[in-house]
Amino acid sequence: MAVTTRDGSAARIERDIEHLATAPYTRSSEAIRRYAYTPEYRNTLDWFTRELEQIGFTVSEDPLGTLVARNRPSGVPAFGIGSHCDSNRNGGKYDGTMGVVTALEVCRLAHEQELDLPLQLVSFLEEEGSGFGQMLLGSRIVAGRIDESDLRERFRAIDDGRSFWEHAEAAGYEPSRWRECAAVLDGLTGWIEMHIEQARVLQDTGNRIGIVTAIAGYVHADVVVHGRGDHAGATPMDLRLDPTLVLAETALELERLAREAGRGTVGTIGEVEVDPGLINAIASRVRFSLDIRGPEDDAYRDVAGKIATAAATSAEARGMHAEYVERQRLPATPMDEGIVGALERAAAATGEPYRRMHSGAAHDTMCVADRVPVAMVFVPCVDGISHHPAEDADPADAALAAEIILAAITSLL
Ligand SMILES: [Zn+2]
């Protein structure tokens, strides 16, 4: 069988991505829009199934629709590769889908080169949360990070409010068997996910490949500051209890603390709610969110603790009161050094520019990591744009990633 060159791989990846960007694979012609239990999502799984069967893989789905393709019988050890092929509601062609298409390319190359590598491709259900507002849903189910009442009651469709359970049944799946989804990870000796970077680090440093060393953990919290609502014109400056000043001081302190912490720590105030929110009124109350992340738990969690104190101190100094309420925290996920090392050697052997980096964004790989040694490979995306129709990435970089992943897996087995 003729061996496909890197250019040939790039052409194949480009063809697949462009194909999946058309009807009947997206609900919108202006953006990529596909999510769990829609006909477009079904068509996409069917397309991957046909492509994988052509190269001798046996394709199945777990009881809720995560796609699993193997070139070995189930239960026999294999190396896992894949990502997700659902999109954000106003998504681009590359987030997730490029990772599954590149994993498919790894399978094709292994087949053509008669490498006899035991491989398992996975496309996780509902990573983006477009159907039910729940990110990483398929991989969280596989990892057992949810419970049955979430599926029966709590997780509801954005489109019609019906439960995840009802939608899964209507699509022909068997939600009552959700615990069996854990079998997706059975027998995996390792796992590599390729994904677009979703930031500008690779582009701005002139690298074609990012080898991920850790996925950031985070603390999500809210700060509510109680002031005193007054007339903006009639109230002299020294008679005010203005909670927006606590917001201002906390925002600057968050920047200072995150910079001081270093080690990849970032902090963001993304939501601001000013009550009553009128041009001629001093606010009575301000709420703002905190998103504090990093690849090293002690570093970013220390910032979260300090910013809670800083907000309280700033409010008190101005005669007000601030409450800090944590919404959620998730630890960082370190990648497996053995797989990272194999990827790095494979990348170095190509002579192409690469760098080690961490992922600030969450990925399905975080859930796979509960049971399997994992790693991730990033490729650049133009100007860091993702979750938008303007999303753009180079199939030639994905082809390079496929080559590196294949070489790394070969070296590990
Ligand atoms: Zn993604």
Side-chain angles (χ1 to χ4, degrees):
M1 201 176 292
V3 171
T4 303
T5 61
R6 198 187 291 165
D7 284 350
S9 267
R12 208 148 55 179
I13 289 168
E14 182 164 22
R15 182 197 68 194
D16 293 348
I17 285 173
E18 295 305 324
H19 181 70
L20 293 172
T22 59
Y25 305 105
T26 167
R27 291 175 86 73
S28 161
S29 53
E30 274 93 55
I32 303 302
R33 185 177 304 156
R34 67 173 158 253
Y35 48 91
Y37 309 146
T38 59
E40 294 76 18
Y41 190 71
R42 178 71 261 158
N43 294 337
T44 306
L45 294 186
D46 290 344
W47 182 85
F48 276 112
T49 300
R50 286 193 300 273
E51 293 296 318
L52 285 153
E53 283 176 349
Q54 275 178 27
I55 49 169
F57 279 65
T58 306
V59 186
S60 60
E61 287 169 39
D62 81 358
L64 289 172
T66 282
L67 181 131
V68 179
R70 300 187 121 246
N71 61 2
R72 290 288 188 282
S74 66
V76 174
F79 200 99
I81 46 177
S83 187
H84 63 94
C85 65
D86 63 314
S87 80
N88 165 280
R89 284 200 173 223
N90 187 41
K93 294 185 264 191
Y94 304 91
D95 183 341
T97 302
M98 189 180 234
V100 186
V101 164
T102 301
L104 167 62
E105 183 61 21
V106 171
C107 296
R108 285 171 175 154
L109 293 172
H111 176 71
E112 288 170 1
Q113 295 171 25
E114 296 173 4
L115 296 178
D116 199 32
L117 285 184
L119 293 172
Q120 173 176 318
L121 180 148
V122 179
S123 179
F124 282 106
L125 181 81
E126 200 60 6
E127 193 268 354
E128 300 283 4
S130 299
F132 300 89
Q134 291 291 324
M135 284 181 58
L136 312 182
L137 183 54
S139 56
R140 280 159 63 204
I141 292 169
V142 165
R145 290 190 185 191
I146 52 101
D147 52 50
E148 189 161 316
S149 63
D150 293 334
L151 302 182
R152 278 189 186 276
E153 283 302 323
R154 211 162 70 77
F155 298 168
R156 298 202 160 258
I158 292 168
D159 287 336
D160 64 10
R162 285 161 62 211
S163 69
F164 175 84
W165 198 275
E166 274 180 73
H167 274 280
E169 276 182 338
Y173 293 99
E174 296 176 86
S176 59
R177 290 174 54 210
W178 70 270
R179 285 186 178 81
E180 294 169 37
C181 298
V184 167
L185 304 182
D186 286 357
L188 287 190
T189 54
W191 166 262
I192 299 172
E193 176 176 7
M194 194 221 82
H195 203 278
I196 60 167
E197 183 204 344
Q198 302 179 272
R200 288 182 295 273
V201 175
L202 292 174
Q203 175 184 289
D204 291 359
T205 58
N207 283 291
R208 295 186 66 193
I209 294 288
I211 296 171
V212 176
T213 52
I215 302 173
Y218 62 85
V219 173
H220 279 174
D222 289 287
V223 176
V224 179
V225 189
H226 301 276
R228 188 172 62 207
D230 276 316
H231 193 285
T235 315
M237 292 309 285
D238 54 3
L239 293 181
R240 294 173 179 224
L241 298 177
D242 183 348
T244 66
L245 299 171
V246 179
L247 162 62
E249 287 178 348
T250 308
L252 291 172
E253 183 64 3
L254 178 60
E255 186 199 27
R256 194 190 68 75
L257 286 170
R259 283 180 181 278
E260 183 184 82
R263 294 191 284 160
T265 306
V266 291
T268 307
I269 294 178
E271 300 170 1
V272 175
E273 220 177 73
V274 179
D275 187 17
L278 299 170
I279 191 170
N280 59 356
I282 299 166
S284 59
R285 176 186 165 278
V286 165
R287 179 191 71 83
F288 53 93
S289 63
L290 297 168
D291 175 308
I292 303 169
R293 305 195 196 201
E296 295 187 34
D297 291 328
D298 60 327
Y300 72 83
R301 283 180 184 167
D302 186 49
V303 171
K306 283 178 174 159
I307 203 69
T309 308
T313 307
S314 160
E316 252 164 63
R318 293 176 172 279
M320 288 175 278
H321 171 64
E323 292 156 34
Y324 172 94
V325 184
E326 192 172 298
R327 284 193 216 179
Q328 202 187 13
R329 67 165 59 198
L330 206 61
T333 308
M335 303 291 100
D336 178 79
E337 266 310 317
I339 303 178
V340 168
L343 285 167
E344 224 180 323
R345 286 188 295 278
T350 67
E352 295 292 337
Y354 73 93
R355 67 176 281 154
R356 289 166 69 103
M357 63 190 297
H358 75 271
S359 170
H363 293 286
D364 289 317
T365 292
M366 298 167 87
C367 294
V368 180
D370 286 359
R371 283 174 50 203
V372 178
V374 300
M376 286 191 76
V377 173
F378 280 167
V379 293
C381 56
V382 174
D383 295 333
I385 296 167
S386 71
H387 292 177
H388 189 276
E391 195 178 274
D392 192 13
D394 190 343
D397 293 334
L400 176 62
E403 191 180 310
I404 289 168
I405 291 167
L406 183 62
I409 296 172
T410 306
S411 77
L412 286 164
L413 292 174

